[in-house]
Amino acid sequence: MNSYEALIEKVRKFNTDRDWDQFHSLSNLAKSVSIEAGELLECFQWDDEHFDKQAVSEEMADVFTYLIDMADKMNVDLIEITDKKMDKNIEKYPVDKARGKNTKYNKL
Amino acid sequence: MNSYEALIEKVRKFNTDRDWDQFHSLSNLAKSVSIEAGELLECFQWDDEHFDKQAVSEEMADVFTYLIDMADKMNVDLIEITDKKMDKNIEKYPVDKARGKNTKYNKL
Amino acid sequence: MNSYEALIEKVRKFNTDRDWDQFHSLSNLAKSVSIEAGELLECFQWDDEHFDKQAVSEEMADVFTYLIDMADKMNVDLIEITDKKMDKNIEKYPVDKARGKNTKYNKL
Amino acid sequence: MNSYEALIEKVRKFNTDRDWDQFHSLSNLAKSVSIEAGELLECFQWDDEHFDKQAVSEEMADVFTYLIDMADKMNVDLIEITDKKMDKNIEKYPVDKARGKNTKYNKL
């Protein structure tokens, strides 16, 4: 078992031990990803340059934990679906058109 | 190289090929995590039960991609910081106090 | 009836005409505020300086519409509760301590 | 001066008194709307039915305060742009097609 699989197991056990799966519907987990993403953003609310590395790391961890939980409950492999989505992005943003531009794909 | 490390490499190459790292400051990536989290939430906006599994998977992938990019630029290991944050959560939510309750740790 | 009250009426009629109040639980409206806030943020995703004024205005309008709807369903006056919250903020951030600083009140 | 205009004045004075306009770029205010929207959503994180009315009101107030500030700095009238956006929505969601359905306009 590699470290990513061990982490999935740890998140699963954390929830089972606390009998929390009853609260963790996909909809509530999607809310939770958004809530934690807001807390991550708060680390950069008024200042883009200076930030608390420890605080940022912990908020990223919270977002990731809810993603792991959500993927587990949907029976999808987060790494696999992200790999596939990256393949779509590679097609949506052809290197020659997208290079050096921050334009959305539908306006390239 | 396992599949998670391969994914980090894929995200890195995607951005380098398009010369996009100039746009990917940590602050902009934190915004991006929030924006994609909002799109994930939109899959459950009016209905908690019925959802488009493919759409949900792709939005989760987008959130994850920005987390991976952010961790890579901060030189932190996303799995390691999440593992450490889980250890903190385990302490914050003792099983005997938190079991079956959806109460925030500071109100337990 | 001033223009703010007229707007509340317009939002109410919009939903009633479409029989949408059945979907507009407070929880779903809170999700909607977050989703639209994400779309507003997207206008500034990669560039803090240049933005599409029309697009920004419309996303602000969408956030505001859901706030109006939410306040209406909760039977609270959005202007009154905001006025009261401002009074709290005035106390939380005393001018002499907060002046020129972007520090959160609990760290002042 | 009606109560809405008085509130705009109050928000403006609050920021001027603290010399905070230097931090309140449109981009930072858009982040702030998202952050506060996340805190509003947190009131409904695990339970759609039971909520703290005072807490919900205060989080709505925070979102609204940043919207007011943003509109003021953009020199747009929040009520007017929302009224215009409602007119667009009325066209996007014709009553006979949208009635009783929670479908996005592009799928109606």
Side-chain angles (χ1 to χ4, degrees), chain D residues 8-65:
Chain D
I8 299 176
E9 268 305 328
K10 195 164 184 167
V11 172
R12 198 180 287 161
K13 182 170 160 37
F14 179 79
N15 290 320
T16 310
D17 282 354
R18 283 157 191 76
D19 194 20
W20 278 1
D21 290 316
Q22 59 181 313
F23 307 123
H24 289 208
S25 63
L26 293 181
S27 171
N28 285 353
L29 291 172
K31 285 187 232 167
S32 302
V33 169
S34 253
I35 293 164
E36 297 298 339
E39 295 185 10
L40 174 58
L41 189 60
E42 198 183 353
C43 299
F44 301 92
Q45 186 170 12
W46 305 117
D47 189 331
D48 294 345
E49 306 295 330
H50 307 92
F51 59 92
D52 177 336
K53 191 173 177 178
Q54 176 68 13
V56 171
S57 298
E58 295 197 356
E59 298 303 346
M60 290 170 66
D62 287 342
V63 177
F64 190 33
T65 301

Side-chain angles (χ1 to χ4, degrees), chain A residues 2-4 6-7 10-11 14 16-20 22-23 25-31 33-34 37-41 44 47-49 51-54 56-68 70-72 74-76 78-91 93-95 98-104, chain B residues 2-4 6-7 10-11 14 16-20 22-23 25-31 33-34 37-41 44 47-49 51-54 56-68 70-72 74-76 78-91 93-95 98-104:
Chain A
N2 70 29
S3 59
Y4 175 64
L7 186 56
K10 194 165 184 168
V11 172
F14 179 79
T16 309
D17 282 353
R18 283 156 190 77
D19 194 21
W20 278 1
Q22 58 180 314
F23 307 122
S25 64
L26 294 181
S27 171
N28 285 352
L29 291 172
K31 286 187 230 168
V33 169
S34 253
E39 295 185 11
L40 173 59
L41 189 59
F44 301 92
D47 190 331
D48 293 346
E49 306 295 330
F51 59 92
D52 177 336
K53 191 173 176 177
Q54 175 68 13
V56 171
S57 298
E58 295 197 356
E59 299 302 346
M60 290 171 65
D62 287 341
V63 178
F64 190 33
T65 302
Y66 284 122
L67 278 185
I68 289 171
M70 211 171 164
D72 195 33
M74 285 176 73
N75 288 312
V76 296
L78 187 57
I79 290 174
E80 192 190 307
I81 60 176
T82 305
D83 188 74
K84 280 191 191 163
K85 182 55 166 59
M86 284 303 297
D87 287 336
K88 269 200 168 184
N89 290 344
I90 288 166
E91 276 188 53
Y93 293 95
V95 169
R99 197 170 168 78
K101 291 185 211 155
N102 61 4
T103 317
K104 215 174 170 176
Chain B
N2 69 29
S3 59
Y4 175 65
L7 185 57
K10 194 165 186 168
V11 172
F14 179 79
T16 309
D17 281 353
R18 283 155 190 77
D19 194 20
W20 277 2
Q22 58 180 315
F23 306 123
S25 64
L26 293 181
S27 170
N28 285 352
L29 291 172
K31 286 187 232 168
V33 169
S34 253
E39 296 184 10
L40 173 59
L41 189 60
F44 301 92
D47 189 331
D48 293 346
E49 306 295 329
F51 57 92
D52 177 336
K53 192 172 176 178
Q54 175 69 11
V56 172
S57 297
E58 295 196 357
E59 297 303 345
M60 291 170 65
D62 287 341
V63 178
F64 190 33
T65 301
Y66 284 123
L67 278 185
I68 288 171
M70 210 171 167
D72 195 33
M74 285 176 72
N75 288 313
V76 296
L78 188 55
I79 290 173
E80 192 188 309
I81 60 176
T82 306
D83 188 72
K84 279 190 189 162
K85 182 55 166 55
M86 284 303 297
D87 286 336
K88 269 200 168 181
N89 291 344
I90 288 166
E91 275 188 54
Y93 292 95
V95 169
R99 198 171 168 78
K101 290 185 210 154
N102 61 4
T103 317
K104 213 173 170 177

